[in-house]
């Protein structure tokens, strides 16, 4: 078990951590470190083509993605953030690497209101990968004990904390088309 500052150091040095989010436990790392992102995908047995979510503490952590958006699109984001709402945002400039976007031209982004997530992203100074702590196709893990049993020996750290009171993983919606990808 570790606190947020220790976890931030692990992320910055190329490690994989588990941490609580609004609804489930997540696995996280530095999204710009290809090797560690592939390590998470391997742990989950998740294909890179599916992409992963980036989670941050503020809109400012996503400035390169948000600057090109229309006022209407920015307004939609502001209506749901911070909170358990993930938006698929176009990334025409390639701010995020292909191992984050997967086969898509958008990136899944969430600005969290969860205190552990906010503190973690503030301490790292960047958004981090947020993918549910589970093997692909299995139910997400809901407790620290489940994470320790499933992944504990494979992680460089587990952040002490509790999930929020959200009962389902975040809603995912395409910002351009409005299409609902996953209801939360």
């Amino acid at each position: 078990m570790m606190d947020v500052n220790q976890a931030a150091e692990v992320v910055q040095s190329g490690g994989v951590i588990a941490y609580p989010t609004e609804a489930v436990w997540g696995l996280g790392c530095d999204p710009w470190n290809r090797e560690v992102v592939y390590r998470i995908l391997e742990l989950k047995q998740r294909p890179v083509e599916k992409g992963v979510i980036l989670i941050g503490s503020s809109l400012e952590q996503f400035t390169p993605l948000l600057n090109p958006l229309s006022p209407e699109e920015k307004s939609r984001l502001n209506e749901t953030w911070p909170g358990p709402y993930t938006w698929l945002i176009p990334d025409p400039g390639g701010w995020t690497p292909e191992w984050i976007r997967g086969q898509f031209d958008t990136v899944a982004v969430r600005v969290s209101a969860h205190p552990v997530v906010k503190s973690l992203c503030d301490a790292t100074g960047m958004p981090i990968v947020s993918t549910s702590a589970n093997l692909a196709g299995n139910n997400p893990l809901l407790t620290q004990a489940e994470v320790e049993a499933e992944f504990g020996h494979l992680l460089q750290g587990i952040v002490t904390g509790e999930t929020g009171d959200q009962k389902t993983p975040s809603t995912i919606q395409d910002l351009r088309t409005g299409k609902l990808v996953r209801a939360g």
Side-chain angles (χ1 to χ4, degrees):
M1 298 319 106
M2 58 180 43
D3 68 25
V4 167
N5 291 323
Q6 293 167 315
E9 289 176 16
V10 169
V11 168
Q12 292 166 328
S13 65
V16 176
I17 61 166
Y19 58 93
T21 70
E22 293 89 342
V24 301
W25 277 78
L27 298 177
C29 68
D30 175 349
W32 286 273
N33 181 328
R34 183 183 190 277
E35 181 181 316
V36 73
V37 172
Y38 273 90
R39 195 175 328 137
I40 283 182
L41 295 172
E42 188 177 300
L43 287 174
K44 285 183 55 89
Q45 300 170 10
R46 178 183 175 90
V48 68
E49 294 78 21
K50 286 189 165 190
V52 292
I53 294 173
L54 292 185
I55 195 167
S57 61
S58 67
L59 292 167
E60 290 73 27
Q61 290 191 327
F62 297 105
T63 297
L65 281 176
L66 305 184
N67 278 343
L69 299 178
S70 71
E72 295 79 19
E73 290 168 327
K74 289 178 183 177
S75 177
R76 269 187 268 158
L77 298 178
N78 285 321
E79 290 169 10
T80 58
W81 284 348
Y85 212 96
T86 300
W87 287 98
L88 302 178
I89 298 176
D91 188 9
W95 179 65
T96 56
E98 65 275 3
W99 56 83
I100 296 297
R101 293 187 310 272
Q103 65 186 357
F104 307 101
D105 63 353
T106 57
V107 60
V109 174
R110 182 165 81 247
V111 174
S112 180
H114 190 283
V116 171
V117 173
K118 287 181 69 67
S119 296
L120 183 58
C121 293
D122 285 342
T124 61
M126 65 181 170
I128 63 170
V129 166
S130 184
T131 184
S132 57
N134 60 292
L135 295 176
N138 290 359
N139 290 330
L141 303 179
L142 304 177
T143 68
Q144 190 168 314
E146 290 175 336
V147 172
E148 289 171 18
E150 182 86 23
F151 293 109
H153 62 291
L154 302 170
L155 304 174
Q156 285 66 62
I158 299 175
V159 182
T160 303
E162 300 289 329
T163 57
D165 41 10
Q166 177 86 7
K167 298 299 178 214
T168 57
S170 67
T171 296
I172 300 177
Q173 187 171 4
D174 189 302
L175 186 62
R176 289 178 299 193
T177 66
K179 179 182 177 197
L180 195 62
V181 176
R182 177 177 77 193

